[in-house]
Amino acid sequence: SAAEIAQVQQALVSAQTIPSLIEAEQKAPERTETWSTYSTKRVDALRIKRGAQFMLDNRELLARAEMEYGVPPGVIAGVLGLETNFGRITGGARVLDALATQGFDHPTRSAFFFSELTEYFVFCRDFGFAPESLKGSYAGAMGWAQFMPSNYRKLAVDFDGDGKRDLWSAADAIGSIARYFNDYRPQLAWRRGEPLIVPATIRGTLSERIERNGKNVAYTVRELQQAGVIPAVKLPADMAVGLLELQLDPAGSANKEYWIALPNFYSVMTYNPRVFYAMTVSQLARAMTAEAARLDQQSP
């Protein structure tokens, strides 16, 4: 309506251009850090402890999310731990400023962010927010789950039944992440009951023609075994998988670790298309699940 367009125009007049937000997006740690540096900062004792307690405190919500969507509690907690440290750090930039800056001035991704700026105005209209009021990440992601506006509109769920889809609440963030892994990209939807990664060793010399660190499955288990990639556990020979190669410090050394990535690993990569991200979620999920079980056994 004319009134809505006037509100958008008024908001854009108030939007500030903040070049440092573009720099932050371009230098995201998933792009610039080594695997050892990235994982050491994030798969740490404090985050694992907080995540385990979060899983215990929200066990009923997490169990319901797994029942409805198939996504294990550890994976949901891993995303929340990596995105916002369980709601502690949801971003200090005005979403309006972030999306206006990235949407008008980003040198390579302006079309994407301009689309998200449009989605943001529709989100604010439909959810009853003033566009100038909300804060989020340098990229305009919002809430505990750090959803972009388009994903917030399409995929957020009211998991606690209070009549609102509020990603600044733990309950709605839990349900929305679980739904995301099923509905964001259906061809990479979560596969109930399957793991994310399996350790692997290399027999002989691995051909440079074998793809590493891709964004989707590329081989069958049989094909990788024929190339000398041996999984630590038995997998179906015809299962579609990918190969991960992680360079360990020091950079440039021959010290590497290898993993076979199953389809659920690539489902996590739809949340953030970086191998480091999905690998860290995988490791946090395993560590936090084990710590939660240990704490649960100790409780009276």
Side-chain angles (χ1 to χ4, degrees):
S1 68
E4 292 164 353
I5 292 296
Q7 184 184 38
V8 168
Q9 291 173 329
Q10 181 180 355
L12 286 174
V13 168
S14 76
Q16 300 180 35
T17 300
I18 306 176
S20 61
L21 298 178
I22 295 177
E23 183 178 0
E25 193 278 334
Q26 292 177 317
K27 295 183 178 180
E30 295 89 351
R31 301 181 181 185
T32 58
E33 294 181 354
T34 65
W35 166 241
S36 295
T37 301
Y38 183 88
S39 61
T40 299
K41 290 179 180 178
R42 293 161 179 83
V43 188
D44 60 282
L46 179 58
R47 199 182 308 254
I48 291 167
K49 181 180 178 181
R50 285 174 173 169
Q53 192 61 53
F54 176 86
M55 292 173 66
L56 295 176
D57 293 342
N58 296 277
R59 68 173 78 204
E60 293 182 2
L61 288 166
L62 290 163
R64 181 156 65 89
E66 183 174 25
M67 180 182 67
E68 293 185 18
Y69 297 104
V71 184
V75 172
I76 297 172
V79 170
L80 287 169
L82 190 51
E83 288 289 345
T84 60
N85 208 341
F86 311 101
R88 289 173 174 83
I89 307 170
T90 58
R94 285 202 313 174
V95 176
L96 174 65
D97 296 337
L99 292 175
T101 298
Q102 309 279 14
F104 284 101
D105 296 325
H106 195 289
T108 59
R109 302 184 67 199
S110 62
F112 166 75
F113 285 112
F114 191 88
S115 174
E116 290 296 333
L117 177 63
T118 305
E119 293 277 352
Y120 178 64
F121 285 125
V122 181
F123 163 80
C124 288
R125 181 196 66 187
D126 293 348
F127 283 70
F129 291 109
E132 300 88 349
S133 67
L134 297 179
K135 290 188 176 181
S137 75
Y138 57 77
M142 297 179 286
W144 283 41
Q146 292 289 277
F147 273 22
M148 295 298 287
S150 60
N151 291 329
Y152 202 134
R153 293 184 60 227
K154 297 171 188 174
L155 300 174
V157 298
D158 174 15
F159 209 56
D160 57 10
D162 67 353
K164 298 183 294 184
R165 293 187 289 158
D166 178 11
L167 292 188
W168 285 269
S169 75
D172 289 2
I174 287 170
S176 299
I177 290 169
R179 183 188 178 189
Y180 181 102
F181 285 134
N182 282 267
D183 294 345
Y184 174 72
R185 190 171 296 163
Q187 64 269 34
L188 290 176
W190 191 266
R191 294 170 62 155
R192 187 182 293 266
E194 292 188 8
L196 288 80
I197 51 175
V198 171
T201 55
I202 305 300
R203 183 176 58 203
T205 301
L206 184 63
S207 171
E208 292 300 321
R209 291 178 293 179
I210 297 295
E211 179 185 84
R212 283 92 148 161
N213 302 336
K215 294 186 178 181
N216 204 340
V217 294
Y219 303 100
T220 64
V221 170
R222 180 185 295 108
E223 288 169 337
L224 284 184
Q225 287 178 320
Q226 291 171 347
V229 182
I230 310 302
V233 299
K234 186 174 178 58
L235 297 171
D238 59 352
M239 175 179 278
V241 295
L243 178 64
L244 307 178
E245 179 184 85
L246 300 177
Q247 174 74 56
L248 304 177
D249 287 340
S253 75
N255 191 19
K256 301 174 182 178
E257 63 182 30
Y258 292 89
W259 299 79
I260 290 177
L262 281 65
N264 282 342
F265 183 88
Y266 298 101
S267 183
V268 174
M269 282 186 69
T270 66
Y271 213 95
N272 181 317
R274 304 287 170 183
V275 167
F276 287 5
Y277 180 92
M279 193 70 192
T280 301
V281 170
S282 304
Q283 294 192 345
L284 280 173
R286 182 173 64 249
M288 291 187 303
T289 300
E291 179 64 8
R294 187 187 71 81
L295 293 175
D296 200 28
Q297 289 177 350
Q298 291 181 348
S299 63

